[in-house]
Amino acid sequence: MASDTTMNASGVQAQEAAARPYAPSWINRVTAFVDRLGPPFWFVYFVLWLALFTILTILRWRDGVYPMGTLSISDVVLSGTGIFFVALVHYLDRWASSKLMEYRWAIKASDQEGAALLYQLTVLPALPTALASLIALVFAILTYLFLPLSYRFLNLNLSTPSGALQLANFFLSWCTFGMLSYHAFRQLKMGSFITTNYLRINLFQLNPLYAFAGLALRTAAGWLIVASAWAITTPNLLEHVAILVTVTFMQIVAVVTFITPLLGAHALLEQEKARLQRDIGHRMETTIGALNQSIGTSDNEELRELNTVLSSLLMAEQRLEKTPTWPWRPGTIRWLSTAILLPLALWVIQTLMQRFFMR
């Protein structure tokens, strides 16, 4: 009996090890802690941002950076950027988990394989995540040391408490920016892997594919929200080299993270569409042959039946021809294009207003 118990325990441990092939990253430990707090996760991040912004503003007033009662828009954005990146990862992991469970029926995997896929989709490995965060932090330190004028509008001044807090917040934003970059690459790559290797491809049941496209779209939208926030709140945005490089990078990443993971699904849909078209073509060839042989030798009832079959095949062919093979809903590309161009449009509007109305 004891040996049986030991074997069962070993089997459970083996299944858990298979489902958790690596240790979770620091961001997953943070989001797990937030979940254990009880309130909705977005509320926790909002309160954290509000507290940080309030402390920073009070210190700004105390240090005389700007008059008491004045609020800095750039402080609003920078104090919330790092927190937003963490909240975005939390949201994306929850959304991906819910959609994977919702469309579990469309995934060709055992329960153990499904658990492993879910873990890999929503949990980052510890070491690569730490390296991505560290690389971004080093980049931020170097740009701060060698391109200080690019950040002069942020009042990053170590000689005052508010400047020190803002500098720490600035480095935190870059650290989480590196983590988010790796998260986007890793999660969308994993989503593409699940789509191309485990998802049942059905040209007439596209909701599972739309779910993975939705994950890519939400990831891209998260990047663009931050880029747009900086474009709205930062005067003369493109005059700051580091910010310009960052915003441009985020826009490029938004496009790449949306399109690239869906290329494999597009190829599979094209193959499925070609297979169905070949099948309909063979059926039409057979039906037309039977129809030609029946003319003049069969009764009208048989001819009507063959004509009905042929008409149905023609309708199916036309319907299939109009079926899209890009795995996203109509209008998605238009929305994404608008979001990408928004920061540039806002900068152009700001520039024109300063040139013609603020002389």
Side-chain angles (χ1 to χ4, degrees):
M1 181 66 67
S3 62
D4 292 341
T5 303
T6 302
M7 290 177 62
N8 291 337
S10 300
V12 171
Q13 291 176 356
Q15 289 182 355
E16 291 179 350
R20 302 184 59 172
Y22 50 82
S25 66
W26 67 265
I27 182 62
N28 296 110
R29 297 183 187 279
V30 169
T31 57
F33 171 76
V34 171
D35 284 334
R36 289 194 298 269
L37 293 178
F41 75 96
W42 59 265
F43 180 76
V44 175
Y45 295 120
F46 174 76
V47 171
L48 182 60
W49 164 77
L50 187 60
L52 184 60
F53 174 68
T54 301
I55 294 172
L56 178 62
T57 301
I58 293 174
L59 290 176
R60 292 290 203 203
W61 295 341
R62 177 189 173 188
D63 295 338
V65 177
Y66 39 76
M68 184 171 294
T70 304
L71 299 179
S72 169
I73 297 179
S74 62
D75 285 351
V76 172
V77 177
L78 184 57
S79 61
T81 297
I83 298 172
F84 176 80
F85 286 155
V86 174
L88 177 61
V89 168
H90 201 155
Y91 167 75
L92 291 173
D93 287 343
R94 280 196 169 196
W95 198 89
S97 176
S98 67
K99 290 303 176 181
L100 191 67
M101 299 304 295
E102 180 181 352
Y103 296 112
R104 180 66 179 86
W105 56 269
I107 297 175
K108 302 174 290 185
S110 65
D111 290 342
Q112 183 175 336
E113 288 176 325
L117 291 175
L118 177 61
Y119 185 85
Q120 294 176 68
L121 182 66
T122 58
V123 177
L124 294 177
L127 182 58
T129 306
L131 288 176
S133 303
L134 181 61
I135 291 172
L137 179 59
V138 170
F139 177 80
I141 293 173
L142 292 177
T143 56
Y144 172 72
L145 293 176
F146 295 103
L147 294 173
L149 292 180
S150 293
Y151 300 111
R152 64 184 183 275
F153 66 98
L154 295 177
N155 296 316
L156 301 176
N157 185 359
L158 278 174
S159 63
T160 62
S162 63
L165 177 59
Q166 188 71 320
L167 184 61
N169 197 25
F170 169 75
F171 289 146
L172 173 64
S173 298
W174 272 99
C175 182
T176 54
F177 176 78
M179 174 275 299
L180 179 63
S181 301
Y182 177 65
H183 180 274
F185 168 78
R186 166 84 184 188
Q187 188 170 72
L188 295 178
K189 181 181 178 182
M190 191 63 201
S192 178
F193 174 77
I194 294 173
T195 300
T196 54
N197 292 278
Y198 288 92
L199 197 65
R200 292 184 176 90
I201 301 299
N202 188 329
L203 210 59
F204 304 104
Q205 291 183 347
L206 294 175
N207 282 338
L209 281 171
Y210 287 158
F212 285 103
L215 178 62
L217 179 62
R218 282 160 174 77
T219 302
W223 290 100
L224 295 173
I225 286 173
V226 176
S228 299
W230 279 108
I232 293 171
T233 60
T234 305
N236 303 321
L237 177 70
L238 298 186
E239 294 181 5
H240 306 289
V241 177
I243 298 298
L244 171 60
V245 171
T246 304
V247 171
T248 303
F249 174 75
M250 293 173 73
Q251 289 181 311
I252 294 173
V253 168
V255 176
V256 172
T257 54
F258 178 72
I259 298 293
T260 304
L262 304 178
L263 293 178
H266 170 65
L268 292 176
L269 287 173
E270 285 283 347
Q271 294 175 9
E272 179 66 8
K273 185 173 183 177
R275 184 189 69 79
L276 292 173
Q277 288 175 325
R278 288 194 303 269
D279 185 50
I280 291 177
H282 292 322
R283 291 176 181 270
M284 289 180 65
E285 183 180 12
T286 301
T287 303
I288 291 174
L291 185 62
N292 288 334
Q293 292 179 359
S294 299
I295 294 176
T297 61
S298 303
D299 57 25
N300 292 333
E301 183 64 27
E302 184 177 354
L303 289 175
R304 280 196 295 272
E305 291 179 357
L306 289 172
N307 273 317
T308 300
V309 172
L310 184 59
S311 297
S312 298
L313 289 172
L314 287 171
M315 290 176 61
E317 183 183 44
Q318 294 173 1
R319 171 68 177 84
L320 190 61
E321 183 65 30
K322 296 178 181 179
T323 302
T325 56
W326 285 105
W328 51 67
R329 299 183 186 278
T332 299
I333 295 298
R334 182 172 62 254
W335 182 95
L336 184 64
S337 301
T338 302
I340 290 172
L341 294 175
L342 180 60
L344 178 60
L346 292 171
W347 174 79
V348 171
I349 292 172
Q350 285 181 341
T351 301
L352 292 176
M353 290 182 64
Q354 289 178 352
R355 177 171 299 180
F356 294 104
F357 300 105
M358 299 182 182
R359 293 178 179 179

